[in-house]
Amino acid sequence: MTHSGADRATLRALADEGNEKALDRLADLAEARGDLDELHELLDEGCARAGHLLTRRAVAAEDLLELQRLSDAGCDEAGDELDRLLDGPAPGGS
């Protein structure tokens, strides 16, 4: 399968029918394009893969507010990462 628009349309149709693998593939394609809006939309649709990818980005950026938003949206991984970062050493502390 190539990465053309037709393939995305097919994946979207499959995802709309409840195919979780198609949702995951759409998330991977959105991640490859850096399309955060689509990743958030996919998360809103219940795509755990999108939540994982958004969490990974937020952790890399140490974006605690984004992790909180993701956690509030039901992404348990984001909540765990937020707790881990908040439990870490204080900035400038020993």
Side-chain angles (χ1 to χ4, degrees):
M1 185 182 287
T2 64
H3 300 300
S4 71
D7 289 330
R8 283 183 51 220
T10 300
L11 289 169
R12 170 51 43 203
L14 290 169
D16 289 346
E17 294 295 322
N19 187 307
E20 290 184 26
K21 286 187 179 190
L23 268 178
D24 290 348
R25 185 69 182 126
L26 285 170
D28 289 337
L29 291 172
E31 169 71 10
R33 290 190 318 276
D35 189 341
L36 299 181
D37 289 337
E38 185 172 355
L39 283 172
H40 280 283
E41 290 170 12
L42 291 166
L43 177 62
D44 290 345
E45 293 178 42
C47 179
R49 177 77 179 148
H52 168 74
L53 294 169
L54 287 164
T55 297
R56 189 176 69 185
R57 283 177 171 267
V59 168
E62 296 185 8
D63 187 342
L64 302 181
L65 292 174
E66 177 66 1
L67 287 170
Q68 182 64 59
R69 285 189 289 268
L70 292 168
S71 178
D72 290 347
C75 183
D76 294 336
E77 180 183 0
D80 294 342
E81 290 294 340
L82 178 60
D83 288 344
R84 182 183 64 78
L85 289 172
L86 289 174
D87 288 340
S94 350

Coordinates of all heavy atoms in Angstrom, one line a residue:
M1 N 0.8 -1.2 0.0 CA 0.0 0.0 0.0 C 0.9 1.2 0.0 O 1.8 1.3 0.7 CB -0.9 0.0 1.3 CG -1.9 1.1 1.3 SD -2.9 1.1 2.8 CE -4.0 -0.2 2.5
T2 N 0.6 2.2 -0.9 CA 1.3 3.4 -0.9 C 0.7 4.4 0.0 O -0.3 4.2 0.6 CB 1.3 4.0 -2.3 OG1 0.0 4.3 -2.7 CG2 2.0 3.0 -3.3
H3 N 1.3 5.6 0.1 CA 0.8 6.6 1.0 C 0.0 7.7 0.3 O 0.0 8.9 0.7 CB 2.0 7.3 1.7 CG 2.8 6.3 2.5 ND1 2.3 5.6 3.6 CD2 4.1 5.9 2.5 CE1 3.2 4.8 4.1 NE2 4.3 5.0 3.4
S4 N -0.7 7.4 -0.7 CA -1.5 8.4 -1.5 C -2.7 8.8 -0.8 O -3.2 8.1 0.2 CB -1.8 7.8 -2.9 OG -2.8 6.8 -2.8
G5 N -3.4 9.9 -1.3 CA -4.6 10.3 -0.7 C -5.7 9.3 -0.8 O -6.5 9.1 0.1
A6 N -5.7 8.5 -1.8 CA -6.7 7.4 -2.0 C -6.6 6.4 -0.9 O -7.5 5.9 -0.3 CB -6.6 6.8 -3.4
D7 N -5.3 6.1 -0.5 CA -5.1 5.1 0.6 C -5.6 5.7 1.9 O -6.2 5.0 2.7 CB -3.6 4.8 0.7 CG -3.2 3.9 -0.5 OD1 -4.0 3.2 -1.1 OD2 -2.0 4.0 -0.9
R8 N -5.4 7.0 2.1 CA -5.9 7.6 3.3 C -7.4 7.6 3.3 O -8.0 7.4 4.4 CB -5.4 9.0 3.5 CG -3.9 9.1 4.0 CD -3.4 10.4 4.2 NE -4.2 11.3 5.0 CZ -4.4 12.5 4.8 NH1 -3.8 13.2 3.8 NH2 -5.2 13.2 5.6
A9 N -8.0 7.8 2.2 CA -9.5 7.8 2.1 C -10.0 6.4 2.4 O -11.0 6.2 3.1 CB -9.9 8.2 0.7
T10 N -9.3 5.4 1.9 CA -9.7 4.0 2.2 C -9.6 3.7 3.7 O -10.4 3.1 4.3 CB -8.9 3.0 1.3 OG1 -9.1 3.3 -0.1 CG2 -9.3 1.6 1.6
L11 N -8.4 4.1 4.2 CA -8.2 3.9 5.7 C -9.3 4.6 6.5 O -9.8 4.0 7.5 CB -6.8 4.4 6.1 CG -5.6 3.5 5.6 CD1 -4.3 4.2 5.8 CD2 -5.6 2.2 6.3
R12 N -9.6 5.8 6.1 CA -10.6 6.6 6.8 C -12.0 5.8 6.8 O -12.7 5.7 7.8 CB -10.7 8.0 6.2 CG -11.9 8.8 6.6 CD -12.2 9.0 8.1 NE -11.1 9.2 9.0 CZ -11.1 9.0 10.3 NH1 -12.2 8.5 10.9 NH2 -10.1 9.2 11.1
A13 N -12.3 5.3 5.6 CA -13.6 4.6 5.4 C -13.6 3.3 6.3 O -14.6 3.0 7.0 CB -13.8 4.2 4.0
L14 N -12.5 2.6 6.4 CA -12.3 1.5 7.2 C -12.4 1.9 8.7 O -13.1 1.2 9.5 CB -11.0 0.7 7.0 CG -10.9 0.0 5.6 CD1 -9.5 -0.5 5.4 CD2 -11.9 -1.2 5.6
A15 N -11.8 2.9 9.1 CA -11.8 3.4 10.4 C -13.2 3.8 10.8 O -13.7 3.5 12.0 CB -10.8 4.6 10.6
D16 N -13.9 4.4 9.9 CA -15.3 4.8 10.2 C -16.2 3.6 10.4 O -17.3 3.8 11.1 CB -15.9 5.7 9.0 CG -15.2 7.1 9.0 OD1 -14.6 7.5 10.0 OD2 -15.4 7.8 8.0
E17 N -15.8 2.5 9.9 CA -16.6 1.2 10.1 C -16.1 0.5 11.4 O -16.6 -0.6 11.6 CB -16.4 0.3 8.9 CG -17.0 0.9 7.6 CD -18.6 1.0 7.7 OE1 -19.2 0.1 8.3 OE2 -19.1 2.0 7.2
G18 N -15.2 1.1 12.1 CA -14.7 0.5 13.4 C -13.4 -0.3 13.3 O -13.1 -1.0 14.3
N19 N -12.7 -0.2 12.2 CA -11.5 -0.9 12.1 C -10.4 -0.2 12.8 O -9.9 0.8 12.4 CB -11.1 -1.1 10.6 CG -9.9 -2.0 10.4 OD1 -8.9 -1.8 11.0 ND2 -10.1 -3.0 9.5
E20 N -9.9 -0.8 13.9 CA -8.9 -0.2 14.8 C -7.5 -0.2 14.1 O -6.8 0.8 14.3 CB -8.8 -0.9 16.1 CG -10.1 -0.6 17.0 CD -10.0 -1.2 18.4 OE1 -8.9 -1.4 18.9 OE2 -11.0 -1.5 18.9
K21 N -7.2 -1.2 13.3 CA -5.9 -1.1 12.6 C -5.9 0.0 11.7 O -4.8 0.6 11.5 CB -5.7 -2.5 11.9 CG -5.3 -3.6 12.9 CD -4.9 -4.8 12.2 CE -4.5 -5.9 13.2 NZ -3.9 -7.1 12.6
A22 N -7.0 0.3 11.0 CA -7.0 1.4 10.1 C -6.8 2.7 10.9 O -6.1 3.6 10.4 CB -8.3 1.5 9.3
L23 N -7.4 2.9 12.0 CA -7.2 4.1 12.9 C -5.7 4.2 13.2 O -5.2 5.3 13.2 CB -8.0 4.0 14.2 CG -9.4 4.6 14.2 CD1 -10.1 4.3 15.6 CD2 -9.4 6.0 13.9
D24 N -5.1 3.1 13.6 CA -3.7 3.1 14.0 C -2.8 3.5 12.8 O -1.9 4.3 13.0 CB -3.2 1.7 14.5 CG -3.8 1.3 15.8 OD1 -4.4 2.2 16.5 OD2 -3.7 0.2 16.2
R25 N -3.2 3.0 11.6 CA -2.4 3.4 10.4 C -2.6 4.9 10.1 O -1.6 5.5 9.7 CB -2.9 2.5 9.3 CG -2.0 2.7 8.0 CD -0.6 2.2 8.2 NE 0.1 2.5 7.0 CZ 1.3 3.1 6.9 NH1 1.9 3.5 8.0 NH2 1.9 3.4 5.8
L26 N -3.8 5.4 10.3 CA -4.0 6.8 10.1 C -3.2 7.6 11.0 O -2.6 8.7 10.7 CB -5.5 7.2 10.2 CG -6.4 6.8 9.1 CD1 -7.9 6.9 9.5 CD2 -6.1 7.6 7.8
A27 N -3.1 7.1 12.3 CA -2.3 7.8 13.3 C -0.8 7.8 12.9 O -0.1 8.8 13.0 CB -2.4 7.2 14.7
D28 N -0.3 6.7 12.4 CA 1.1 6.6 12.0 C 1.4 7.6 10.8 O 2.4 8.2 10.7 CB 1.5 5.2 11.5 CG 1.6 4.2 12.7 OD1 1.8 4.7 13.9 OD2 1.4 3.0 12.5
L29 N 0.4 7.6 9.9 CA 0.6 8.5 8.7 C 0.5 10.0 9.2 O 1.3 10.8 8.7 CB -0.5 8.3 7.7 CG -0.4 7.0 6.9 CD1 -1.7 6.8 6.1 CD2 0.8 6.9 6.1
A30 N -0.4 10.3 10.1 CA -0.4 11.7 10.6 C 0.9 12.0 11.4 O 1.4 13.2 11.2 CB -1.6 11.8 11.6
E31 N 1.4 11.1 12.1 CA 2.7 11.3 12.8 C 3.8 11.6 11.8 O 4.6 12.5 12.0 CB 3.0 10.1 13.7 CG 4.4 10.1 14.2 CD 4.7 11.1 15.3 OE1 3.7 11.7 15.8 OE2 5.8 11.2 15.7
A32 N 3.8 10.8 10.7 CA 4.9 11.0 9.7 C 4.8 12.3 9.1 O 5.8 12.9 8.7 CB 4.8 9.9 8.7
R33 N 3.6 12.9 8.9 CA 3.4 14.2 8.4 C 3.6 15.3 9.4 O 3.6 16.5 9.1 CB 2.0 14.3 7.7 CG 1.8 13.5 6.5 CD 0.5 13.9 5.8 NE -0.6 14.1 6.7 CZ -1.4 13.1 7.2 NH1 -1.2 11.9 6.8 NH2 -2.4 13.4 7.9
G34 N 3.6 15.0 10.7 CA 3.7 16.0 11.7 C 2.3 16.6 11.9 O 2.3 17.8 12.4
D35 N 1.3 16.0 11.6 CA -0.1 16.5 11.6 C -0.7 16.3 13.0 O -1.4 15.4 13.3 CB -1.0 15.9 10.5 CG -2.3 16.6 10.4 OD1 -2.7 17.3 11.3 OD2 -2.9 16.4 9.3
L36 N -0.4 17.3 13.9 CA -0.9 17.1 15.3 C -2.4 17.3 15.4 O -3.0 16.6 16.3 CB -0.2 18.1 16.2 CG 1.3 18.0 16.3 CD1 1.9 19.1 17.3 CD2 1.7 16.6 16.8
D37 N -3.0 18.1 14.6 CA -4.4 18.2 14.6 C -5.1 16.9 14.3 O -6.1 16.5 15.0 CB -4.9 19.3 13.6 CG -4.5 20.7 14.0 OD1 -4.3 20.9 15.2 OD2 -4.4 21.6 13.1
E38 N -4.6 16.2 13.3 CA -5.2 14.9 12.9 C -5.0 13.9 14.1 O -5.9 13.1 14.4 CB -4.7 14.3 11.6 CG -5.4 13.1 11.3 CD -5.1 12.5 9.9 OE1 -4.4 13.2 9.1 OE2 -5.7 11.4 9.6
L39 N -3.8 13.9 14.7 CA -3.6 13.0 15.8 C -4.6 13.3 16.9 O -5.1 12.4 17.5 CB -2.1 13.2 16.3 CG -1.1 12.5 15.5 CD1 0.3 12.9 15.9 CD2 -1.3 11.0 15.5
H40 N -4.8 14.6 17.2 CA -5.8 14.9 18.3 C -7.2 14.4 17.9 O -8.0 13.9 18.7 CB -5.8 16.4 18.6 CG -4.6 16.8 19.5 ND1 -4.6 16.6 20.8 CD2 -3.5 17.4 19.2 CE1 -3.5 17.0 21.4 NE2 -2.8 17.5 20.4
E41 N -7.6 14.6 16.6 CA -8.9 14.1 16.2 C -9.0 12.6 16.3 O -10.0 12.1 16.7 CB -9.1 14.5 14.7 CG -9.3 16.0 14.5 CD -9.3 16.5 13.1 OE1 -9.3 15.6 12.2 OE2 -9.2 17.7 12.8
L42 N -7.9 11.9 16.0 CA -7.9 10.5 16.1 C -8.0 10.0 17.5 O -8.7 9.1 17.9 CB -6.7 9.9 15.4 CG -6.7 10.0 13.9 CD1 -5.3 9.7 13.4 CD2 -7.7 9.1 13.3
L43 N -7.4 10.8 18.4 CA -7.5 10.5 19.8 C -8.9 10.7 20.3 O -9.5 9.9 21.1 CB -6.5 11.4 20.6 CG -6.6 11.2 22.2 CD1 -6.2 9.8 22.6 CD2 -5.7 12.3 22.8
D44 N -9.6 11.7 19.8 CA -11.0 12.0 20.2 C -11.9 10.9 19.7 O -12.9 10.6 20.3 CB -11.4 13.3 19.6 CG -10.8 14.5 20.2 OD1 -10.2 14.4 21.4 OD2 -10.9 15.6 19.7
E45 N -11.4 10.2 18.6 CA -12.2 9.0 18.1 C -11.9 7.7 18.9 O -12.4 6.7 18.6 CB -11.9 8.8 16.6 CG -12.4 9.9 15.7 CD -12.0 9.7 14.3 OE1 -12.1 8.5 13.8 OE2 -11.6 10.6 13.6
G46 N -11.0 7.8 19.8 CA -10.6 6.6 20.6 C -9.4 5.9 20.2 O -9.2 4.7 20.6
C47 N -8.6 6.5 19.4 CA -7.4 5.8 18.8 C -6.3 5.9 19.9 O -5.7 6.9 20.1 CB -7.0 6.5 17.5 SG -5.5 5.7 16.8
A48 N -6.0 4.7 20.5 CA -5.0 4.6 21.5 C -3.6 4.9 20.9 O -2.7 5.5 21.6 CB -5.0 3.3 22.2
R49 N -3.4 4.5 19.7 CA -2.1 4.8 19.0 C -1.8 6.3 18.9 O -0.7 6.7 19.1 CB -2.1 4.1 17.6 CG -0.8 4.4 16.8 CD 0.3 3.5 17.2 NE 1.5 3.8 16.4 CZ 2.7 3.7 16.8 NH1 3.0 3.3 18.1 NH2 3.7 3.9 16.0
A50 N -2.8 7.1 18.6 CA -2.7 8.5 18.5 C -2.3 9.1 19.9 O -1.4 9.9 20.0 CB -4.0 9.2 18.0
G51 N -3.0 8.5 20.9 CA -2.6 9.0 22.3 C -1.2 8.7 22.6 O -0.5 9.5 23.2
H52 N -0.7 7.5 22.2 CA 0.7 7.1 22.4 C 1.6 8.0 21.7 O 2.6 8.5 22.3 CB 0.9 5.7 22.0 CG 2.4 5.3 21.9 ND1 3.1 5.1 23.1 CD2 3.2 5.1 20.9 CE1 4.4 4.8 22.7 NE2 4.4 4.8 21.4
L53 N 1.4 8.3 20.5 CA 2.2 9.2 19.7 C 2.2 10.6 20.2 O 3.3 11.2 20.3 CB 1.8 9.2 18.2 CG 2.0 7.8 17.5 CD1 1.3 7.8 16.1 CD2 3.4 7.4 17.4
L54 N 1.1 11.1 20.6 CA 1.0 12.5 21.2 C 1.7 12.5 22.5 O 2.4 13.5 22.8 CB -0.4 12.9 21.3 CG -1.1 13.3 20.0 CD1 -2.6 13.3 20.2 CD2 -0.6 14.6 19.5
T55 N 1.6 11.4 23.3 CA 2.3 11.4 24.6 C 3.8 11.4 24.4 O 4.5 12.1 25.1 CB 1.9 10.1 25.4 OG1 0.5 10.2 25.7 CG2 2.6 10.0 26.7
R56 N 4.3 10.6 23.4 CA 5.7 10.6 23.2 C 6.2 11.9 22.8 O 7.3 12.3 23.3 CB 6.0 9.6 22.0 CG 7.4 9.3 21.8 CD 7.6 8.2 20.8 NE 7.2 8.8 19.5 CZ 7.2 8.1 18.3 NH1 7.4 6.8 18.3 NH2 6.9 8.7 17.2
R57 N 5.5 12.7 22.0 CA 5.9 14.0 21.6 C 5.9 15.0 22.8 O 6.8 15.8 23.0 CB 5.0 14.6 20.6 CG 5.2 14.1 19.2 CD 4.1 14.7 18.2 NE 4.4 14.4 16.8 CZ 5.1 15.2 16.0 NH1 5.6 16.3 16.4 NH2 5.3 14.8 14.8
A58 N 4.9 14.9 23.7 CA 4.8 15.7 24.8 C 5.9 15.4 25.8 O 6.4 16.4 26.4 CB 3.4 15.6 25.5
V59 N 6.2 14.2 26.0 CA 7.3 13.8 26.9 C 8.6 14.4 26.4 O 9.4 14.9 27.1 CB 7.4 12.3 27.1 CG1 8.7 11.9 27.8 CG2 6.2 11.8 27.9
A60 N 8.9 14.2 25.1 CA 10.1 14.7 24.5 C 10.3 16.2 24.7 O 11.4 16.7 24.9 CB 10.2 14.3 23.0
A61 N 9.1 16.9 24.6 CA 9.1 18.4 24.8 C 9.0 18.8 26.2 O 9.0 20.0 26.5 CB 8.0 19.0 24.0
E62 N 8.8 17.8 27.1 CA 8.5 18.1 28.6 C 7.4 19.0 28.7 O 7.4 19.9 29.5 CB 9.8 18.6 29.3 CG 10.9 17.6 29.3 CD 12.1 18.0 30.2 OE1 12.0 19.0 30.8 OE2 13.1 17.2 30.1
D63 N 6.3 18.8 27.9 CA 5.1 19.6 27.9 C 4.1 19.1 28.9 O 3.3 18.3 28.5 CB 4.6 19.7 26.5 CG 3.4 20.7 26.3 OD1 2.8 21.1 27.3 OD2 3.1 21.1 25.2
L64 N 4.2 19.5 30.1 CA 3.3 19.0 31.2 C 1.9 19.3 30.9 O 1.0 18.5 31.2 CB 3.8 19.5 32.5 CG 5.2 19.2 32.9 CD1 5.5 19.8 34.3 CD2 5.5 17.7 32.9
L65 N 1.6 20.5 30.4 CA 0.2 20.9 30.1 C -0.4 20.0 29.1 O -1.6 19.6 29.2 CB 0.1 22.4 29.7 CG 0.5 23.4 30.8 CD1 0.5 24.8 30.2 CD2 -0.5 23.3 31.9
E66 N 0.3 19.7 28.0 CA -0.2 18.8 27.0 C -0.4 17.4 27.6 O -1.4 16.7 27.3 CB 0.8 18.7 25.8 CG 0.4 17.7 24.7 CD -0.9 18.1 24.0 OE1 -1.5 19.1 24.3 OE2 -1.3 17.3 23.1
L67 N 0.5 16.9 28.4 CA 0.3 15.6 29.1 C -1.0 15.6 29.9 O -1.7 14.6 29.9 CB 1.5 15.3 29.9 CG 2.8 14.8 29.1 CD1 4.0 14.7 30.0 CD2 2.5 13.5 28.4
Q68 N -1.2 16.7 30.6 CA -2.5 16.8 31.4 C -3.7 16.8 30.5 O -4.7 16.1 30.8 CB -2.5 18.1 32.2 CG -3.7 18.2 33.1 CD -3.8 17.1 34.2 OE1 -2.8 17.0 35.0 NE2 -4.8 16.3 34.2
R69 N -3.6 17.5 29.4 CA -4.8 17.5 28.4 C -5.0 16.1 27.9 O -6.1 15.6 27.7 CB -4.5 18.5 27.3 CG -4.7 19.9 27.7 CD -4.7 20.9 26.5 NE -3.4 21.0 25.9 CZ -2.5 21.9 26.3 NH1 -2.8 22.8 27.2 NH2 -1.3 22.0 25.7
L70 N -3.9 15.4 27.5 CA -4.0 14.0 27.0 C -4.6 13.1 28.1 O -5.4 12.3 27.8 CB -2.7 13.5 26.5 CG -2.1 14.2 25.3 CD1 -0.6 13.9 25.0 CD2 -2.9 13.9 24.0
S71 N -4.1 13.3 29.3 CA -4.6 12.4 30.4 C -6.1 12.7 30.6 O -6.9 11.8 30.7 CB -3.8 12.8 31.7 OG -4.4 12.0 32.7
D72 N -6.5 14.0 30.5 CA -7.9 14.3 30.7 C -8.8 13.7 29.6 O -10.0 13.5 29.8 CB -8.1 15.8 30.7 CG -7.6 16.5 32.0 OD1 -7.3 15.7 33.0 OD2 -7.4 17.7 32.0
A73 N -8.2 13.5 28.4 CA -8.9 13.0 27.2 C -8.9 11.4 27.3 O -9.4 10.8 26.4 CB -8.2 13.4 26.0
G74 N -8.4 10.9 28.4 CA -8.5 9.4 28.6 C -7.2 8.6 28.2 O -7.3 7.4 28.2
C75 N -6.1 9.3 28.0 CA -4.9 8.6 27.6 C -4.1 8.3 28.9 O -3.5 9.2 29.5 CB -4.0 9.5 26.7 SG -2.5 8.7 26.2
D76 N -4.2 7.1 29.4 CA -3.6 6.7 30.7 C -2.1 6.8 30.6 O -1.5 7.2 31.6 CB -4.0 5.3 31.0 CG -5.5 5.1 31.3 OD1 -6.1 6.1 31.7 OD2 -6.0 4.0 31.2
E77 N -1.5 6.5 29.5 CA -0.1 6.6 29.3 C 0.4 8.1 29.6 O 1.4 8.3 30.3 CB 0.3 6.2 27.9 CG 1.8 6.3 27.7 CD 2.2 5.9 26.3 OE1 1.4 5.6 25.4 OE2 3.4 6.0 26.0
A78 N -0.3 9.0 29.2 CA 0.0 10.4 29.4 C 0.0 10.8 30.9 O 0.8 11.5 31.4 CB -0.9 11.4 28.6
G79 N -1.0 10.3 31.6 CA -1.1 10.5 33.0 C 0.0 9.9 33.7 O 0.6 10.5 34.7
D80 N 0.4 8.7 33.3 CA 1.6 8.0 33.9 C 2.9 8.8 33.7 O 3.7 9.0 34.6 CB 1.8 6.6 33.4 CG 0.6 5.7 33.8 OD1 -0.1 6.0 34.7 OD2 0.5 4.6 33.1
E81 N 3.0 9.3 32.5 CA 4.2 10.1 32.2 C 4.2 11.4 32.9 O 5.3 11.9 33.4 CB 4.3 10.3 30.7 CG 4.7 9.1 29.9 CD 6.1 8.5 30.2 OE1 6.9 9.3 30.7 OE2 6.3 7.3 29.9
L82 N 3.1 12.0 33.0 CA 3.0 13.3 33.8 C 3.4 13.0 35.2 O 4.2 13.8 35.8 CB 1.5 13.8 33.7 CG 1.3 15.1 34.5 CD1 2.1 16.2 34.0 CD2 -0.2 15.5 34.4
D83 N 2.8 12.0 35.8 CA 3.2 11.6 37.2 C 4.7 11.4 37.3 O 5.4 11.9 38.3 CB 2.5 10.4 37.7 CG 1.0 10.6 38.0 OD1 0.6 11.8 38.1 OD2 0.3 9.6 38.1
R84 N 5.3 10.7 36.4 CA 6.7 10.4 36.4 C 7.5 11.7 36.4 O 8.5 11.9 37.1 CB 7.1 9.5 35.3 CG 8.6 9.1 35.3 CD 8.9 8.2 34.0 NE 8.7 8.9 32.8 CZ 9.6 9.8 32.3 NH1 10.7 10.1 32.9 NH2 9.4 10.4 31.1
L85 N 7.1 12.6 35.5 CA 7.9 13.9 35.3 C 7.7 14.7 36.6 O 8.6 15.4 37.0 CB 7.4 14.6 34.1 CG 7.9 14.0 32.8 CD1 7.2 14.7 31.6 CD2 9.4 14.0 32.6
L86 N 6.5 14.7 37.1 CA 6.3 15.5 38.3 C 7.0 15.0 39.6 O 7.3 15.7 40.5 CB 4.8 15.7 38.6 CG 4.0 16.5 37.6 CD1 2.5 16.5 37.9 CD2 4.5 18.0 37.7
D87 N 7.2 13.7 39.6 CA 7.9 13.0 40.7 C 9.4 13.2 40.6 O 10.1 12.9 41.5 CB 7.6 11.5 40.8 CG 6.2 11.3 41.3 OD1 5.6 12.2 41.9 OD2 5.6 10.2 41.0
G88 N 9.9 13.7 39.5 CA 11.3 13.8 39.2 C 11.9 14.9 40.1 O 11.2 15.6 40.9
P89 N 13.3 15.1 40.1 CA 13.9 16.1 40.9 C 13.4 17.5 40.5 O 13.1 17.8 39.3 CB 15.4 15.9 40.6 CG 15.5 15.2 39.3 CD 14.2 14.4 39.2
A90 N 13.4 18.4 41.5 CA 13.0 19.8 41.2 C 14.1 20.4 40.4 O 15.3 20.1 40.5 CB 12.8 20.5 42.5
P91 N 13.7 21.4 39.5 CA 14.7 22.1 38.6 C 15.7 22.8 39.5 O 15.3 23.5 40.5 CB 13.8 23.1 37.8 CG 12.4 22.6 37.9 CD 12.3 21.8 39.2
G92 N 16.9 22.6 39.2 CA 18.0 23.3 39.9 C 18.3 22.7 41.3 O 19.1 23.1 42.0
G93 N 17.5 21.6 41.7 CA 17.7 21.0 43.0 C 18.6 19.8 42.9 O 19.1 19.4 41.9
S94 N 18.9 19.3 44.1 CA 19.8 18.1 44.1 C 19.0 16.9 44.6 O 18.1 17.0 45.3 CB 21.0 18.3 45.0 OG 21.2 19.5 45.5

